[in-house]
Amino acid sequence: MKDARRVISVIVMNESSVLARVTALFAGRGYNIESLTVAPIPNSQMSHITIETKGNAKVMEQITKQLHKLIPVYKVIEHEEMVEKEMVLVKFPIAENLSDIEALCRAYNGGIVNVGKEMVVAQVADEPTRIQHFIEAAQRYNPCEIVRGGVVAIER
Amino acid sequence: MQMSGAQMVCEAIIAEGVKTVFGYPGGAIMHVYDEIYKQNGFEHILTRHEQAAVHAADGYARATGKVGVAMVTSGPGFTNAVTGLATAYMDSIPLVVISGQVPLSLIGTDGFQEIDAVGISRPCTKHNFLVYSIEELPRILKEAFYIARSGRPGPVLVDVPKDITVAMGNFVYPETVNIPTYKPTYKGNKKQIEKAVEAIKKAKKPLIYAGGGIVLSNASDLVRELAEKTQIPAVETLMARGVMGAKNPLLLGMLGMHGNYASNMAMSETDLIIALGARFDDRVTGKLSEFARYADIIHVDIDPANISKLVDVDYPIVGDVRDVLENMIPLLEDVNPNRYQAWREILKRYDALHPQSYVDSDEVLKPQWVIERVGELVGENAIITSDVGQHQMWAAQHYPFDRPRQWINSGGLGTMGFGLPAAIGAKRAFPEKTVINITGDGSILMNMQELVTAAEYKIPVINLILNNHFLGMVRQWQSFFYEKRYSQTDLTFQPNWKALAEACGGIGYDVTTKEEFDAALKDAIVQDKVCFMNIAINRFENVLPMVPAGGALFNMMLPQSVEK
Ligand SMILES: Cc1ncc(C[n+]2csc(CCOP(=O)(O)OP(=O)(O)O)c2C)c(N)n1
């Protein structure tokens, strides 16, 4: 069985230490977390946790079942047909070629969102693989800081 | 009704019908203890260590099937309780443990006796709660009991900050529980059950693999009925001893690392495993790639995560064993028991070839003899608890367990020190029954302070110390796998057991012969005092058969053949 990248959504009661329960389960059972995002679901008492992980089918089955066992977990979705996006913020020195940076960002669904005295901040939101490409392309403009947001996903 | 948080804790315990609580007070839980003083809805037993309080509640729960309750203070009180929680967690025992916590305002400040109890206990509880307000306390208490006993049972911790025990609030104990995210499945899928039945009807060499889940779901009678009706033979795990009944001709014995030959061979040759509330633990399966290579598997378990965790299952049935069997047995009406006759014959021959046996001696007491003798003298009537080591395995192999809940031991975690406090809990639940802790000279010292508890409350449990002057089980591995380098396992230096028991308010016996043993046990049974029976046994006796860790189940080290 091959290890593959997977994205799962975990719908949980929005209560204290629920995130700790989820992450402790991954740590305790030796599953890995590539990225994790979490936010409340509007107009509900639930939160949506998106976890990007790696494992073979058997490991994924265990992860799903073990997550289900946690009392505050409502639903676990192993994404198959999904739309997934990730956001990244990148800080560039203002001396760089800003119109090139702007063009690059546009190609990846983003743009420059803040201009300071010495730095500009660009924002891009796109599929995770494309975010990776963007970051590679951005290297030539000497980025001083890159903050990735982690994946969010929704079933199509 | 208006009352304090401390009162709410007591009222909930009473409302749940709990008659005995085991615990140990301290600063953060003092308000609750003050209320315990004032009420008379339940008794509180002061153990002499928090670990023992949780084990005692655990023994109580295992003996009765009800939720056990323990109470401890914050910080060291809680950390002492962790081994108890983990022990109960690994064996799916329903417990509610109430711990004190520093006041909410001090949480996170490294306050005196502050420790992150929910953080520490997360991986060894089914669920835990830190109470943030008096308003939510009644609901949390109700949910704690409900979660502990429902679905796959387990221990639940409720961590109550001191200011919440003081705060006043309105107490209405909820009648029902509604946790939208927690809905255990009890009913097995009908289609799956039908498929499993077809598989049983087609099998030639089916085998019932009975696990501790049967005990938890009180389904022994149905498992016996299933076997009886179909004449399918059965093996039991360590946790399922007593399920089939020792005299049952369809019971082959215990399987696994120290299983008997017939059981392990049956598992290796079966073409259909009917796994009931068992979880394919590594001590049961041996080397997974060699495990039951010819078998299809029916797996009935209330915990979906147990299914296909270690072995691939052909007929998964998520549900309560009791519920599933109620639906399955009627469908097996037309099974012809003769169908499995040839298979039963094979297994009979295996058992005749290498029966569960040992070489007795006239010079020195053999532990197996002691256990068989206890079985002859008290048999069905006794509840047997044990610690962890060789004595535990000998007890599991040789005691004639007749009913579920008669055998109480720490199987999953293997906690030395479990036996005595668990015996105290079981004896408190069934005062009329003889309760015997089969222990070793290593294990007993791990919670020996509970002698004092047993003496004070007149809980006359009998501790049979099978004394080999070794940490015997470790010594056995050293003999087999470490070229007899007995690193740190020699217990030649010993306490004076008799004097020790007497110093704590109990009785002591020193036993070296069969006659002395008979006399001592008969005496111990009629005494109303806790006792230590120091039984000198053969130092180098090994537990056999043995499947070396990681080896295939059918490759057993066997005892010498016997002239018995
Ligand atoms: C708390 C704890 N510590 C260590 C062990 C490891 N261990 C397993 S069996 C054993 C020896 C037990 O010796 P004893 O109680 O004398 O029993 P015997 O094996 O001699 O019957 C040890 C140290 C354990 N199971 N539990």
Side-chain angles (χ1 to χ4, degrees):
Chain A
M1 269 188 280
K2 272 216 323 270
D3 275 8
R5 172 183 180 275
R6 327 260 168 160
V7 178
I8 48 183
S9 284
V10 192
I11 314 300
V12 297
M13 295 295 281
N14 189 1
E15 61 184 34
S16 74
S17 85
V18 59
L19 184 60
R21 288 183 205 282
V22 170
T23 53
L25 187 147
F26 274 74
R29 292 192 180 258
Y31 311 140
N32 81 54
I33 296 181
E34 300 282 324
S35 81
L36 179 148
T37 62
V38 54
I41 298 173
N43 306 319
S44 85
Q45 295 172 342
M46 305 272 177
S47 281
H48 189 129
I49 302 176
T50 315
I51 301 172
E52 186 189 0
T53 179
K54 235 202 261 161
N56 62 36
K58 194 153 180 135
V59 169
M60 289 313 297
E61 184 183 334
Q62 264 299 307
I63 292 181
T64 312
K65 285 174 168 177
Q66 293 294 346
L67 281 168
H68 254 299
K69 273 178 77 170
L70 297 176
I71 305 289
V73 168
Y74 181 64
K75 206 154 88 180
V76 183
I77 307 157
E78 253 187 277
H79 288 298
E80 280 163 20
E81 299 280 302
M82 62 181 162
V83 175
E84 53 171 332
K85 293 284 174 201
E86 183 174 357
M87 194 181 96
V88 63
L89 296 175
V90 186
K91 209 187 261 177
F92 297 99
I94 204 153
E96 293 295 325
N97 185 333
L98 294 189
S99 53
D100 277 13
I101 291 176
E102 176 73 19
L104 174 66
C105 292
R106 286 218 178 285
Y108 288 94
N109 276 324
I112 290 173
V113 290
N114 186 277
V115 181
K117 262 204 193 118
E118 291 167 8
M119 298 287 168
V120 298
V121 176
Q123 169 211 302
V124 162
D126 210 325
E127 268 132 48
T129 43
R130 285 181 44 86
I131 292 291
Q132 190 56 42
H133 295 155
F134 168 76
I135 289 170
E136 280 158 24
Q139 293 307 320
R140 97 181 68 125
Y141 306 105
N142 303 310
C144 10
E145 202 180 339
I146 302 174
V147 179
R148 287 181 79 153
V151 174
V152 291
I154 202 164
E155 205 58 12
R156 271 193 269 170
Chain B
M1 209 171 118
Q2 284 293 117
M3 62 174 77
S4 70
Q7 264 176 301
M8 290 184 189
V9 170
C10 293
E11 287 300 323
I13 290 171
I14 294 167
E16 292 289 343
V18 177
K19 294 283 174 262
T20 308
V21 171
F22 302 87
Y24 209 100
I29 192 98
M30 278 189 70
H31 278 85
V32 179
Y33 272 84
D34 195 43
E35 291 306 325
I36 289 178
Y37 187 89
K38 295 178 200 159
Q39 60 80 45
N40 51 19
F42 59 88
E43 66 165 350
H44 179 279
I45 293 197
L46 177 73
T47 56
R48 294 322 198 248
H49 192 292
E50 289 89 351
Q51 182 192 346
V54 183
H55 289 331
D58 180 324
Y60 187 94
R62 292 186 204 230
T64 59
K66 297 184 187 144
V67 179
V69 178
M71 202 174 283
V72 300
T73 192
S74 68
F78 164 75
T79 54
N80 273 348
V82 171
T83 301
L85 286 168
T87 302
Y89 180 71
M90 290 296 281
D91 289 342
S92 309
I93 303 305
L95 293 186
V96 170
V97 176
I98 314 269
S99 54
Q101 181 55 279
V102 300
L104 281 172
S105 57
L106 280 182
I107 287 181
T109 66
D110 302 316
F112 177 63
Q113 296 194 327
E114 180 191 358
I115 198 78
D116 176 8
V118 288
I120 289 175
S121 63
R122 206 169 283 131
C124 59
T125 51
K126 181 173 173 186
H127 193 53
N128 58 21
F129 297 91
L130 171 58
V131 183
Y132 282 101
S133 73
I134 186 79
E135 287 72 33
E136 64 180 8
L137 183 58
R139 176 185 59 80
I140 286 177
L141 290 165
K142 178 79 185 179
E143 287 183 2
F145 278 92
Y146 174 75
I147 291 169
R149 73 164 76 88
S150 58
R152 179 180 182 178
V156 177
L157 177 83
V158 183
D159 197 33
V160 194
K162 186 166 188 177
D163 46 348
I164 297 215
T165 64
V166 183
M168 299 295 288
N170 187 29
F171 182 76
V172 181
Y173 198 57
E175 299 261 309
T176 54
V177 169
N178 180 22
I179 310 170
T181 55
Y182 175 66
K183 308 273 181 216
T185 309
Y186 292 95
K187 275 224 140 357
N189 179 295
K190 202 161 159 272
K191 282 254 154 51
Q192 287 295 100
I193 294 177
E194 282 165 8
K195 279 192 202 156
V197 164
E198 285 317 303
I200 293 173
K201 288 180 181 169
K202 287 207 193 87
K204 293 203 178 78
K205 300 175 169 184
L207 181 70
I208 295 171
Y209 161 35
I214 296 167
V215 178
L216 297 169
S217 97
N218 297 314
S220 297
D221 54 333
L222 294 181
V223 177
R224 289 183 193 194
E225 190 183 331
L226 170 71
E228 181 91 358
K229 185 169 247 171
T230 57
Q231 292 293 305
I232 294 175
V235 293
E236 289 174 346
T237 66
L238 175 66
M239 301 312 290
R241 296 306 265 158
V243 160
M244 292 293 292
K247 294 192 266 310
N248 195 321
L250 290 163
L251 175 66
L252 297 167
M254 179 172 77
L255 86 165
M257 180 174 275
H258 293 297
N260 63 336
Y261 184 75
S263 295
N264 285 346
M265 290 311 288
M267 194 46 115
S268 302
E269 295 185 0
T270 174
D271 65 357
L272 180 69
I273 296 173
I274 307 167
L276 305 172
R279 59 186 176 87
F280 297 86
D281 179 79
D282 54 277
R283 287 295 191 261
V284 157
T285 61
K287 190 176 184 182
L288 268 178
S289 58
E290 301 284 339
F291 175 73
R293 286 171 65 174
Y294 312 106
D296 280 348
I297 300 178
I298 299 169
H299 191 178
V300 182
D301 204 297
I302 197 156
D303 180 359
N306 270 349
I307 294 179
S308 292
K309 178 172 65 179
L310 292 153
V311 297
D312 291 327
V313 168
D314 306 275
Y315 306 95
I317 303 175
V318 177
D320 183 45
V321 176
R322 180 153 201 102
D323 200 287
V324 171
L325 288 184
E326 270 168 5
N327 289 293
M328 183 185 276
I329 291 171
L331 303 179
L332 288 161
E333 212 52 74
D334 55 339
V335 171
N336 177 3
N338 290 334
R339 184 177 173 82
Y340 317 120
Q341 179 65 26
W343 169 230
R344 289 194 299 271
E345 295 294 329
I346 295 172
L347 297 174
K348 212 177 271 168
R349 280 203 293 280
Y350 280 147
D351 199 43
L353 192 62
H354 297 291
Q356 183 75 62
S357 64
Y358 65 97
V359 184
D360 202 5
S361 157
D362 292 329
E363 267 110 65
V364 56
L365 277 174
K366 287 295 187 90
Q368 302 93 330
W369 179 87
V370 173
I371 284 160
E372 287 182 356
R373 189 68 186 143
V374 179
E376 285 163 18
L377 293 177
V378 293
E380 266 182 88
N381 284 322
I383 294 175
I384 306 294
T385 69
S386 92
D387 272 304
V388 172
Q390 294 184 306
H391 58 273
Q392 174 192 27
M393 292 300 128
W394 285 317
Q397 291 176 332
H398 293 275
Y399 196 90
F401 295 107
D402 261 323
R403 57 188 163 82
R405 304 194 182 282
Q406 189 186 8
W407 166 236
I408 293 176
N409 83 129
S410 165
L413 197 68
T415 309
M416 289 170 69
F418 174 77
L420 171 54
I424 289 174
K427 179 76 180 175
R428 205 57 173 184
F430 293 102
E432 74 288 357
K433 286 210 150 57
T434 299
V435 177
I436 297 177
N437 173 32
I438 294 175
T439 180
D441 49 321
S443 294
I444 189 64
L445 290 178
M446 283 210 178
N447 265 318
M448 63 145 223
Q449 76 286 344
E450 297 313 315
L451 264 177
V452 181
T453 312
E456 179 190 352
Y457 291 93
K458 299 206 175 4
I459 306 175
V461 298
I462 298 170
N463 293 280
L464 302 183
I465 304 169
L466 298 181
N467 192 344
N468 49 15
H469 294 70
F470 269 123
L471 294 173
M473 187 55 97
V474 182
R475 193 279 307 153
Q476 175 171 339
W477 285 52
Q478 289 170 334
S479 293
F480 290 166
F481 314 119
Y482 295 87
E483 297 170 322
K484 304 192 179 174
R485 288 185 296 277
Y486 298 133
S487 176
Q488 306 298 317
T489 47
D490 191 315
L491 298 184
T492 310
F493 186 89
Q494 299 242 324
N496 178 336
W497 298 100
K498 190 163 182 289
L500 179 60
E502 285 166 0
C504 297
I507 322 175
Y509 304 88
D510 286 313
V511 167
T512 53
T513 67
K514 291 179 175 176
E515 293 69 36
E516 284 172 5
F517 178 73
D518 276 13
L521 186 61
K522 281 175 190 152
D523 188 64
I525 288 168
V526 297
Q527 296 285 350
D528 63 347
K529 281 186 177 170
V530 58
C531 76
F532 268 6
M533 198 179 298
N534 170 31
I535 307 167
I537 59 161
N538 183 23
R539 283 201 85 189
F540 286 93
E541 193 70 20
N542 291 318
V543 181
L544 294 171
M546 177 172 187
V547 178
L553 205 52
F554 48 80
N555 280 334
M556 285 162 270
M557 304 160 84
L558 292 161
Q560 303 164 249
S561 50
V562 224
E563 7 21 281
K564 222 177 117 184

